[in-house]
C-alpha cells in the first residue's frame, strides 16, 4: 500500500524521503506566473515584496497519472479537506477510471499540520502491519481528536480568498497583533490574538494540557526555526514523553498563511 | 398575469430563490429538529443538499437539463434524512418535466405527485408527521387546483395547505407533540417551495405569501427557561412555532409557571440520549447490480436507514453505533466512493451549549476600534452612562453567561446592581483602564470554561504593568514632594509614582527606573501624537507603539511589555 497526500499537508522533508510518502503538488502562482516547485526562500521573499500568491485545483488528469505511476495496488490518499477545496472531487473523478487499483480517498478534514499529522499516523499504522481498512478506520477516529493552531501574523491571504470567516475586524486591526487561528468543523476560525510568540506558546501548552493521552505533535515554522525549537522545548518540559516532529511550512501552505506563520497540531 | 409556464431562465431563478429561502431560515429549521434524532442539523442538511444542486446547474440549458443538474447535484450533496427526501422529491419534478423549452403548471403538479411518491419510497420506514406528510398534502392541493385561473392564488393555497399540514405534524408524531414543536424538515420543505413560487411569480408583482418570523424558537425558549420574562412571549410569531401553546391559549392565558414548564419539556426532549450516535453517509459502487439482503442487514445495525440509487451508485444513509460493522459490510459488497461520518452527540452538545460572551466598556472612541481589531464583538463607548443606559445594554445582550471588562472602576457598583436586578450570570473584572483591558481580553476564548478564563484574567490583572499620565490641576504636597499645577503625574492603580514637568521627564523615569521590552502608549482626546513622539525620541526610546485611545480622563495610558 502506498500513502499519498497533497502539499496542502505540512510534513518534515526527511520523513517524506525516508518513508517514501508520495506527494501531489498544487499548481502554484505568483502574480499569475506559475511558480510550482519554487524554493520556500524565494517564495517567501517574493510574497513579502507584495506579489500575490494563488493556487489552483489539482486536475483529475494529474491524479490519474499519479495513481497509475504508483506501482502498488492499494493507494491511500489523505486529502486536503473538502471544506476548503474541491481537489478531492478531482481525485474521485480520476479514481473512477482506475478500477484495477484499490484507491481509498480519505478526507483528512484538515490542511497543513493537521493533515500532515494524519499522514504520519497512517505511516505508523502501516508500519505496525495494519491493512488499509484498519488504517482508515483508525484515522477516522483520530481525526476527530486532532487539535491544531496556527499563528498567522498576516491574515490577508486567507481573508482575500475567503478561506476564513469572522475575522473582518482582526484583519484591519490597528494594533500590531498576531492572530491565532484554529480549525473548527473543517473551517478556519480565529481562536485568539497575542502580541508575542511567547504568549502563543503559553496558549498552545494550555490547550495541550486539556487533551489526555496525546502521543504525536507536529510543529511547523516558515521563516524562524527558533520558534519551533522553543515550542518543542516547552512541550518536552511539560509533557515529557511525546513524539515531536518539526517541519517547514511549504510554499503552497505559505501561499495561504502568509509570511512568518507557524503552528502546531497534536493528538 | 398568466405565467402558466416558465422558461429555463425563470426555472433557475425558482430553484435559487427556493434555496435562498431555506438558507435564510437555516437556523430556525435546525432549532426545530427533534426527529428522528435531535441533533439540530435539519436546516443545514437541507441547505447543503440544495446548494449542491444549485452549484451543479450550468447556464444556457433547457428546462429538462436544468432539473437534471439540480437533481443530481442535490442527490450528490444530500445530507441527512431530509436531504435525501428532498432530492427524491426533486427527482419527481425532473421526471415529469415533459417539455424541454418550458415547465408548465401541469408538469409541476404532476412532478409534485411523483416527487411525493419517490420521497416516501426513499425511506426504509416512512413516518407520518414529518416532511413526508407536508410533501403529501401540498402535492394533493397543487394537483387539485393547478388548472385554476389565478396563479398567485394557486400558490397561496398550496402554501396555506402546507402550513396547515405542518401544524398537524405534532398530532401525528408523538415526539413532536412532546417537544411542542412542528416538524423541522416539513418547515424546511415549505420554505423551499415558497421560495420556488416567489421565483415563478418573479415577473409579476411580488406579494408576500406569508408574514415573516423574526426570531428562532429555541432562542425564545432559552430566554424564558433561563430568565423568566413572560410578558415577552406573547407575540404571535412565537405562537406560530408552538401549536400546543396556540391551542391552549385560545381559551386561557397560561401562567408563567405553565409556560416555563412547557418549555422545559422541549429542552428535555433535546437532552434525551441519542440511541444511535453516528450519522454515516456513504456513496457505494456495488460490485453486483442486485444485492441480496442489503436493507435487512443494514437495518440491524442502526436506524434512519435510507438507500437511494444514483445511476450505478448507491447512496446509503444510516444512524448507527457500529461504524466499523457498517463499513466492513458495505465494503464487502462494493467500493466506497465517499464517506461522511458525523457525531450527532457532539452536534447536539454544540447546540445545547450555553451562549457565552464578553462585554467591554471603554472611555474613548479610539479604544472601540482597538478592541474590535482584537476581535471583540461587544464594545460599548459611553460617556458617563446612566443606570438606564447600562441596564438597556444588559437587557439586550442575549447571552447565558458573560465576562465584563469595565475598564472603569466607577461602573462596577452600577453593574453589580443591574446584574442583581436582572438575575444574570456574570463575571466582573474590576479593572480601571483600557491598557489593562487589552491584555486581559487576549485571554478570552469562547470555547473555554468561562470561570477558568475569569480566574486567569484576575490573576493576570495583578501582573499587568499599566500606568496613567495625568496633569495636576492644583498645587499639592504629597509626602516630601511638591506638585505644581500643570505637572505631569505618572500613576499606577491611582497611586502617584512620579511627577515631572513634561513628557520627557516621565519617559526618562520609565526608561531608567521601570524598564521594558516595549511600551504601548494610548493617548487621550486632546493630545498631540507628534509631541509624544518627539519626547520619546529625546529620551531615546525606540521600542514603542502609539495608538489613539481618545479617553478624556487622562493624557496617556502606558502599558509596559516585558518578555516572559
Amino acid at each position: 500500500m502506498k500513502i499519498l497526500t497533497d502539499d496542502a499537508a505540512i510534513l518534515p522533508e526527511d520523513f517524506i524521503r525516508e518513508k517514501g510518502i508520495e506527494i501531489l503538488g498544487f499548481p502554484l502562482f505568483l502574480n499569475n506566473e506559475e511558480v510550482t516547485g519554487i524554493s520556500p526562500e524565494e517564495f517567501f521573499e517574493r510574497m513579502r515584496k507584495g506579489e500575490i500568491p494563488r493556487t489552483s485545483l489539482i486536475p483529475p488528469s494529474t491524479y490519474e497519472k499519479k495513481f497509475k505511476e504508483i506501482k502498488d495496488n492499494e493507494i491511500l490518499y489523505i486529502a486536503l479537506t473538502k471544506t476548503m477545496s474541491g481537489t478531492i472531487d478531482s481525485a474521485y473523478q480520476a479514481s473512477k477510471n482506475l478500477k484495477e487499483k484499490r484507491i481509498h480517498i480519505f478526507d483528512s478534514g484538515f490542511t497543513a499540520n493537521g493533515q500532515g499529522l494524519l499522514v504520519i499516523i497512517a505511516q505508523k499504522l502501516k508500519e505496525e502491519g495494519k491493512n488499509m481498512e484498519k488504517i482508515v478506520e483508525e484515522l477516522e477516529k483520530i481525526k476527530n481528536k486532532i487539535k491544531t493552531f496556527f499563528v498567522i501574523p498576516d491574515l490577508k491571504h486567507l481573508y482575500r480568498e475567503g478561506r476564513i470567516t469572522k475575522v473582518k475586524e482582526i484583519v484591519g486591526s490597528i494594533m500590531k497583533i498576531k492572530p491565532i487561528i484554529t480549525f473548527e468543523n473543517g473551517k478556519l476560525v480565529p481562536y485568539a490574538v497575542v502580541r508575542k510568540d511567547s504568549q502563543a506558546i503559553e496558549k498552545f501548552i494550555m490547550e495541550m494540557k486539556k487533551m489526555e493521552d496525546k502521543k504525536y505533535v507536529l510543529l511547523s515554522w516558515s521563516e524562524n526555526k527558533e520558534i519551533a525549537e522553543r515550542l518543542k522545548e516547552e512541550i518536552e518540559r511539560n509533557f515529557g514523553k511525546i513524539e515531536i516532529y518539526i517541519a517547514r511550512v511549504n510554499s503552497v501552505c505559505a501561499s495561504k498563511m502568509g509570511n512568518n506563520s507557524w503552528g502546531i497540531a497534536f493528538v | 398575469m398568466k405565467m402558466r409556464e416558465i422558461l429555463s431562465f425563470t426555472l433557475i431563478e425558482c430553484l435559487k430563490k427556493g434555496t435562498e429561502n431555506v438558507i435564510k431560515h437555516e437556523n430556525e429549521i435546525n432549532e426545530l429538529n427533534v426527529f428522528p434524532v435531535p441533533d439540530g442539523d435539519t436546516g443545514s442538511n437541507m441547505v447543503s443538499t440544495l446548494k449542491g444542486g444549485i452549484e451543479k446547474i450550468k447556464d444556457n440549458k433547457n428546462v429538462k437539463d436544468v432539473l437534471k443538474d439540480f437533481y443530481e447535484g442535490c442527490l450528490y450533496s444530500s445530507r441527512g434524512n431530509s436531504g435525501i427526501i428532498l432530492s427524491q422529491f426533486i427527482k419527481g419534478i425532473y421526471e415529469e418535466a415533459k417539455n424541454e423549452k418550458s415547465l408548465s403548471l401541469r408538469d409541476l403538479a404532476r412532478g409534485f405527485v411523483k416527487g411525493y411518491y419517490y420521497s416516501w419510497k426513499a425511506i426504509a420506514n416512512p413516518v407520518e408527521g414529518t416532511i413526508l406528510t407536508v410533501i403529501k398534502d401540498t402535492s394533493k392541493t397543487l394537483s387539485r387546483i393547478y388548472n385554476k385561473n389565478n396563479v398567485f392564488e394557486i400558490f397561496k393555497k398550496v402554501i396555506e395547505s402546507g402550513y396547515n399540514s405542518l401544524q398537524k405534524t405534532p398530532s401525528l408524531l408523538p415526539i413532536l407533540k412532546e417537544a411542542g414543536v412542528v416538524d423541522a424538515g416539513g418547515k424546511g420543505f415549505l420554505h423551499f417551495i415558497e421560495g420556488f413560487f416567489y421565483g415563478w411569480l418573479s415577473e409579476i408583482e411580488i406579494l408576500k405569501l406569508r408574514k415573516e418570523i423574526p426570531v428562532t424558537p429555541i432562542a425564545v425558549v432559552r430566554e424564558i427557561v433561563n430568565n423568566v420574562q413572560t410578558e415577552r412571549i406573547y407575540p404571535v410569531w412565537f405562537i406560530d412555532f408552538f401549536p400546543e401553546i396556540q391551542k391552549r391559549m385560545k381559551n386561557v392565558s397560561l401562567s408563567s409557571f405553565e409556560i416555563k414548564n412547557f418549555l422545559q419539556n422541549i429542552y428535555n426532549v433535546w437532552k434525551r440520549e441519542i440511541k444511535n450516535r453516528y450519522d454515516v453517509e456513504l456513496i457505494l459502487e456495488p460490485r453486483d447490480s442486485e444485492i441480496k439482503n442489503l436493507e435487512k442487514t443494514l437495518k440491524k445495525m442502526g436506524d434512519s436507514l435510507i438507500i437511494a440509487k444514483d445511476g450505478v451508485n448507491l447512496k446509503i444513509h444510516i444512524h448507527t453505533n457500529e461504524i466499523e460493522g457498517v463499513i466492513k459490510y458495505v465494503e464487502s459488497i462494493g467500493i466506497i466512493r465517499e464517506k461522511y461520518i458525523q457525531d450527532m452527540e457532539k452536534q447536539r452538545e454544540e447546540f445545547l451549549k450555553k451562549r457565552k460572551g464578553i462585554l467591554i466598556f471603554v472611555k474613548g472612541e479610539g479604544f472601540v476600534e482597538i478592541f474590535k481589531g482584537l476581535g471583540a464583538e461587544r464594545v460599548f463607548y459611553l460617556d458617563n452612562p446612566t443606570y438606564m443606559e447600562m441596564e438597556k445594554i444588559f437587557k439586550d445582550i442575549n447571552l447565558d453567561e458573560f465576562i465584563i471588562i469595565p475598564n472603569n472602576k466607577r461602573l462596577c457598583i452600577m453593574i453589580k446592581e443591574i446584574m442583581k436586578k436582572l438575575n444574570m450570570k456574570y463575571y466582573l473584572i474590576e479593572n480601571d483602564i483600557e491598557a489593562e483591558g487589552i491584555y486581559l481580553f487576549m485571554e478570552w476564548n469562547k470555547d473555554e470554561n468561562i470561570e477558568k478564563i475569569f480566574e486567569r484574567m484576575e490573576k493576570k490583572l495583578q501582573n499587568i504593568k499599566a500606568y496613567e499620565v495625568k496633569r495636576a490641576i492644583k498645587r499639592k504636597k504629597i509626602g516630601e514632594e511638591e506638585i505644581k499645577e500643570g505637572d505631569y503625574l505618572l500613576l499606577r492603580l491611582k497611586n502617584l509614582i512620579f511627577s515631572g514637568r513634561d513628557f520627557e521627564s516621565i519617559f526618562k523615569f520609565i526608561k531608567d527606573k521601570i524598564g521594558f521590552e516595549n511600551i504601548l502608549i494610548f493617548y487621550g482626546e486632546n493630545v498631540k501624537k507628534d509631541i509624544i513622539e518627539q519626547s520619546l525620541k529625546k529620551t531615546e526610546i525606540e521600542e514603542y507603539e502609539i495608538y489613539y485611545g481618545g479617553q478624556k480622563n487622562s493624557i496617556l495610558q502606558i502599558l509596559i511589555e516585558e518578555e516572559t
Side-chain angles (χ1 to χ4, degrees), chain A residues 64-88:
Chain A
E64 200 171 327
K65 203 170 140 236
K66 192 62 153 186
F67 290 152
K68 279 184 181 155
E69 237 173 59
I70 294 173
K71 292 196 182 73
D72 307 58
N73 276 328
E74 289 185 331
I75 300 171
L76 172 58
Y77 170 42
I78 297 177
L80 165 62
T81 174
K82 187 183 161 125
T83 53
M84 297 189 78
S85 161
T87 202
I88 201 166

Coordinates of all heavy atoms in Angstrom, one line a residue, chain A residues 64-88:
Chain A
E64 N -4.9 11.1 -12.0 CA -4.9 9.8 -12.8 C -3.5 9.3 -13.1 O -3.1 8.2 -12.9 CB -5.7 9.9 -14.0 CG -6.2 8.6 -14.6 CD -7.2 8.8 -15.7 OE1 -7.9 9.7 -15.7 OE2 -7.1 7.9 -16.6
K65 N -2.6 10.3 -13.5 CA -1.2 10.0 -13.8 C -0.5 9.4 -12.6 O 0.2 8.4 -12.7 CB -0.6 11.3 -14.3 CG 0.6 11.0 -15.2 CD 1.2 12.3 -15.9 CE 2.7 12.3 -15.9 NZ 3.2 13.5 -15.3
K66 N -0.7 10.1 -11.5 CA -0.1 9.7 -10.2 C -0.6 8.3 -9.8 O 0.2 7.5 -9.5 CB -0.4 10.7 -9.1 CG 0.5 10.6 -7.9 CD 1.9 10.8 -8.3 CE 2.8 11.3 -7.1 NZ 4.1 11.6 -7.6
F67 N -1.9 8.1 -9.8 CA -2.4 6.8 -9.4 C -1.8 5.7 -10.3 O -1.5 4.6 -9.8 CB -3.9 6.8 -9.6 CG -4.7 7.7 -8.6 CD1 -5.9 8.2 -8.9 CD2 -4.1 7.9 -7.3 CE1 -6.6 9.0 -8.0 CE2 -4.8 8.7 -6.4 CZ -6.1 9.3 -6.7
K68 N -1.6 6.0 -11.6 CA -1.1 5.0 -12.5 C 0.4 4.8 -12.2 O 0.9 3.6 -12.2 CB -1.3 5.4 -13.9 CG -2.7 5.1 -14.4 CD -2.8 5.5 -15.9 CE -4.2 5.2 -16.4 NZ -4.5 6.0 -17.6
E69 N 1.1 5.9 -11.9 CA 2.5 5.8 -11.7 C 2.9 4.9 -10.5 O 3.9 4.2 -10.5 CB 3.0 7.2 -11.4 CG 4.1 7.8 -12.3 CD 4.3 9.3 -11.9 OE1 4.6 9.5 -10.7 OE2 4.1 10.1 -12.7
I70 N 2.1 5.1 -9.5 CA 2.3 4.3 -8.3 C 2.1 2.8 -8.5 O 1.1 2.4 -9.1 CB 1.4 4.8 -7.1 CG1 1.7 6.2 -6.7 CG2 1.5 3.8 -5.9 CD1 0.8 6.8 -5.8
K71 N 3.2 2.1 -8.2 CA 3.1 0.6 -8.6 C 2.2 -0.2 -7.7 O 1.7 -1.2 -8.2 CB 4.6 0.1 -8.6 CG 5.4 0.7 -9.7 CD 6.7 -0.1 -10.0 CE 7.5 0.6 -11.1 NZ 8.2 1.8 -10.6
D72 N 2.1 0.2 -6.5 CA 1.3 -0.6 -5.5 C -0.2 -0.7 -6.0 O -0.7 0.2 -6.7 CB 1.3 0.1 -4.1 CG 2.7 0.3 -3.6 OD1 3.5 1.0 -4.3 OD2 3.0 -0.2 -2.6
N73 N -0.8 -1.8 -5.6 CA -2.2 -2.0 -6.0 C -3.2 -1.2 -5.1 O -4.3 -1.0 -5.5 CB -2.5 -3.4 -6.0 CG -2.1 -4.1 -7.3 OD1 -2.2 -3.5 -8.3 ND2 -1.7 -5.4 -7.2
E74 N -2.7 -0.9 -3.9 CA -3.5 -0.1 -3.0 C -2.9 1.2 -2.7 O -1.7 1.4 -2.5 CB -3.6 -0.9 -1.6 CG -4.4 -2.1 -1.7 CD -4.6 -2.7 -0.3 OE1 -3.7 -2.6 0.5 OE2 -5.6 -3.4 -0.1
I75 N -3.8 2.2 -2.8 CA -3.3 3.6 -2.6 C -4.2 4.3 -1.5 O -5.5 4.2 -1.7 CB -3.3 4.5 -3.9 CG1 -2.4 3.8 -4.9 CG2 -2.9 5.9 -3.6 CD1 -2.6 4.5 -6.3
L76 N -3.6 4.8 -0.5 CA -4.4 5.6 0.4 C -4.1 7.1 0.3 O -2.9 7.5 0.5 CB -4.1 5.1 1.9 CG -4.7 6.0 3.0 CD1 -6.2 6.0 2.9 CD2 -4.2 5.5 4.4
Y77 N -5.0 7.8 -0.2 CA -4.8 9.2 -0.5 C -5.4 10.1 0.7 O -6.6 10.0 0.9 CB -5.4 9.7 -1.8 CG -5.4 11.1 -2.1 CD1 -4.3 12.0 -1.7 CD2 -6.5 11.8 -2.6 CE1 -4.3 13.3 -1.9 CE2 -6.6 13.1 -2.8 CZ -5.5 13.9 -2.5 OH -5.5 15.3 -2.7
I78 N -4.5 10.7 1.4 CA -5.0 11.6 2.5 C -5.1 13.0 2.0 O -4.1 13.7 1.8 CB -4.0 11.4 3.7 CG1 -4.1 9.9 4.2 CG2 -4.4 12.3 4.8 CD1 -3.1 9.6 5.3
A79 N -6.3 13.4 1.8 CA -6.6 14.6 1.0 C -6.8 15.9 1.9 O -7.3 15.8 3.0 CB -7.8 14.4 0.1
L80 N -6.6 17.0 1.3 CA -7.0 18.3 1.8 C -8.5 18.3 2.1 O -9.2 17.8 1.2 CB -6.6 19.4 0.9 CG -7.2 20.8 1.1 CD1 -6.8 21.4 2.4 CD2 -6.7 21.7 0.0
T81 N -8.9 18.9 3.1 CA -10.3 18.8 3.5 C -11.2 19.4 2.4 O -10.9 20.4 1.8 CB -10.6 19.6 4.8 OG1 -12.0 19.6 5.0 CG2 -10.1 21.0 4.8
K82 N -12.3 18.7 2.2 CA -13.3 19.1 1.3 C -13.9 20.5 1.5 O -14.3 21.2 0.6 CB -14.4 18.0 1.4 CG -15.5 18.1 0.4 CD -16.5 17.0 0.7 CE -17.8 17.3 0.0 NZ -18.3 16.3 -0.8
T83 N -13.8 20.9 2.8 CA -14.4 22.2 3.2 C -13.6 23.3 2.7 O -14.1 24.5 2.6 CB -14.6 22.3 4.7 OG1 -13.3 22.1 5.3 CG2 -15.6 21.4 5.2
M84 N -12.4 23.1 2.2 CA -11.5 24.2 1.8 C -11.2 24.1 0.3 O -10.7 25.1 -0.2 CB -10.2 24.2 2.6 CG -10.4 24.5 4.1 SD -8.9 24.8 4.9 CE -8.6 26.5 4.4
S85 N -11.4 23.0 -0.3 CA -11.0 22.9 -1.7 C -11.8 21.7 -2.4 O -12.2 20.8 -1.7 CB -9.5 22.6 -1.8 OG -9.2 22.0 -3.0
G86 N -11.9 21.8 -3.6 CA -12.7 20.8 -4.4 C -11.7 19.8 -4.9 O -12.1 18.9 -5.7
T87 N -10.5 19.8 -4.5 CA -9.5 18.9 -5.1 C -9.8 17.4 -4.9 O -9.6 16.6 -5.7 CB -8.1 19.2 -4.6 OG1 -7.1 18.7 -5.6 CG2 -7.8 18.6 -3.3
I88 N -10.5 17.1 -3.8 CA -10.9 15.8 -3.5 C -11.8 15.2 -4.6 O -11.8 14.0 -4.9 CB -11.5 15.6 -2.1 CG1 -11.4 14.2 -1.6 CG2 -12.9 16.2 -2.0 CD1 -11.7 14.1 -0.1

